[in-house]
Amino acid sequence: VYLAREAPVNLSPDDVQAGDQSQLVYRAPDPEAGQGVYAGYCAHCHGFTGLGDGWDGQYLDVKPANFSTPDVRGLGEGDWFSRVSFGMQDSAMPAWNEWMPEQDRWNAIAYIEKYILVSNPSGKGTIMPSVWQTNGGKVANNFITLSQAD
């Protein structure tokens, strides 16, 4: 069922008021909103460029997916949604549907599809200037945890 899912589209307020239940989310995915979701929940394993080289991914027995590989690049919307929602068996990929709103999951997928899969087809670790180099090329401090111990 989930593999057949398609990204939601914007519904008008009239459609929502009329009880259109063709989709559970009433807004189309927003890649810009997905950037924050990806940075906060995905980048620590998959890396900012989607190469599976995040700072936590190096410690996992099953390495995080590299989005530039052909088997990942060829995934459809339903495949992405299923993997993000239910996780991946025998890996550290969690089931985000247990607590993350569906709109956030779609936003993260839209971000990956727009900025990572399209912009990084060669698998080179380049960061898109318009997305991540907004702070002089540095990662904002709210993405880094520092020890308070001396």
Side-chain angles (χ1 to χ4, degrees):
V1 171
Y2 276 89
L3 296 180
R5 294 285 305 263
E6 293 181 3
V9 295
N10 285 329
L11 293 178
S12 72
D14 293 334
D15 291 336
V16 174
Q17 227 172 18
D20 183 339
Q21 298 297 317
S22 60
Q23 61 188 37
L24 298 175
V25 176
Y26 297 111
R27 291 189 326 264
D30 179 4
E32 281 64 38
Q35 176 184 358
V37 176
Y38 183 86
Y41 300 105
C42 311
H44 61 95
C45 288
H46 295 287
F48 284 113
T49 56
L51 297 177
D53 58 354
W55 53 94
D56 287 339
Q58 64 183 322
Y59 301 108
L60 299 173
D61 290 333
V62 177
K63 298 301 176 202
N66 176 341
F67 299 155
S68 69
T69 61
D71 59 322
V72 175
R73 293 184 66 76
L75 295 176
E77 289 176 336
D79 293 314
W80 276 104
F81 189 74
S82 178
R83 289 174 185 224
V84 171
S85 295
F86 300 113
M88 296 293 296
Q89 186 175 2
D90 299 325
S91 79
M93 178 68 179
W96 292 109
N97 71 326
E98 293 181 7
W99 66 272
M100 183 183 287
E102 185 172 333
Q103 185 70 54
D104 288 348
R105 287 179 271 148
W106 278 116
N107 290 345
I109 293 166
Y111 171 78
I112 291 167
E113 289 177 333
K114 181 173 182 180
Y115 291 112
I116 294 178
L117 295 180
V118 174
S119 305
N120 194 9
S122 65
K124 293 189 178 168
T126 57
I127 298 174
M128 288 189 52
S130 64
V131 179
W132 292 113
Q133 291 184 357
T134 57
N135 188 22
K138 297 183 175 120
V139 177
N141 64 358
N142 60 338
F143 296 121
I144 300 171
T145 303
L146 301 175
S147 172
Q148 297 296 319
D150 290 330

